[in-house]
Amino acid sequence: MLYVIAKSVSKKENIEETKEAMLALIEPTRVEKGCVQYDLHQDQEHPENFFFIEQWDTKEDLDKHLKNKHLVKWAEQQKVLLASPMEVFMMDRLA
Amino acid sequence: MLYVIAKSVSKKENIEETKEAMLALIEPTRVEKGCVQYDLHQDQEHPENFFFIEQWDTKEDLDKHLKNKHLVKWAEQQKVLLASPMEVFMMDRLA
């Protein structure tokens, strides 16, 4: 199992648009092969901070996900909406 | 429900010690009131990066947790083991 945290920091003037763009990723992603968890969170104190908490059966499943059209679209949207590039942490679960 | 990501960056020379110190938090924490999830992860690419992914029934439960002796001890250990202060993100789950 692969555990992922993806942190996106929206430009402050784009918070709602960023939220909508990220919410739109959820339905098509959750039906993808190997997607075990794909949940979106928003920082209470700094609402420009968004976090996907994800679990994928394999790295290959995740790689395929990143090539899907809704992710390719999001990659373009990021350039306009985010204040800095999305940070993706690929993790092992220790306990 | 309160969702939390806590990111700790170990000094590179203390990675194993940091890992042991964080692993020791798990058992006493998971039996605390309101603790729904308390999982420790390590970044595959940058092993100095550790992430707790947590869920708590209420903010009060989390606040009590932070005052427990194993957390007070960890607060002291952080000063020695970590390269920078632990970042804690309190989040709402959007979907």
Side-chain angles (χ1 to χ4, degrees), chain A residues 1-5 7 19 23 26 30 37-45 49-53 55 59 87-95, chain B residues 1-5 7 19 23 26 30 37-45 49-53 55 59 87-95:
Chain A
M1 185 75 73
L2 177 62
Y3 295 79
V4 177
I5 288 174
K7 180 184 177 192
K19 183 172 152 179
L23 283 169
I26 290 177
R30 282 182 178 161
Q37 180 185 9
Y38 194 76
D39 297 338
L40 180 62
H41 304 76
Q42 185 174 20
D43 190 330
Q44 293 178 343
E45 205 182 327
N49 289 337
F50 292 92
F51 297 85
F52 270 116
I53 295 178
Q55 288 181 43
K59 179 74 164 59
E87 284 182 281
V88 181
F89 302 97
M90 308 273 190
M91 310 176 300
D92 295 313
R93 180 178 160 190
L94 301 180
Chain B
M1 184 75 74
L2 177 61
Y3 295 80
V4 176
I5 287 175
K7 180 184 176 190
K19 183 172 153 179
L23 283 169
I26 291 176
R30 283 182 177 162
Q37 179 184 9
Y38 194 76
D39 297 338
L40 180 62
H41 304 75
Q42 185 174 20
D43 189 331
Q44 292 178 342
E45 205 182 330
N49 290 337
F50 293 90
F51 296 85
F52 271 114
I53 294 179
Q55 288 181 41
K59 178 72 163 59
E87 283 182 281
V88 181
F89 301 97
M90 309 272 190
M91 311 176 300
D92 294 313
R93 181 178 159 188
L94 301 181

Side-chain angles (χ1 to χ4, degrees), chain B residues 11-49:
Chain B
K11 289 175 188 166
K12 294 210 168 162
E13 64 271 24
N14 292 111
I15 289 176
E16 277 313 302
E17 234 181 304
T18 300
K19 183 172 153 179
E20 291 313 317
M22 299 185 87
L23 283 169
L25 301 174
I26 291 176
E27 214 175 304
T29 297
R30 283 182 177 162
V31 296
E32 288 175 34
K33 180 183 172 293
C35 179
V36 174
Q37 179 184 9
Y38 194 76
D39 297 338
L40 180 62
H41 304 75
Q42 185 174 20
D43 189 331
Q44 292 178 342
E45 205 182 330
H46 301 283
E48 67 274 18
N49 290 337

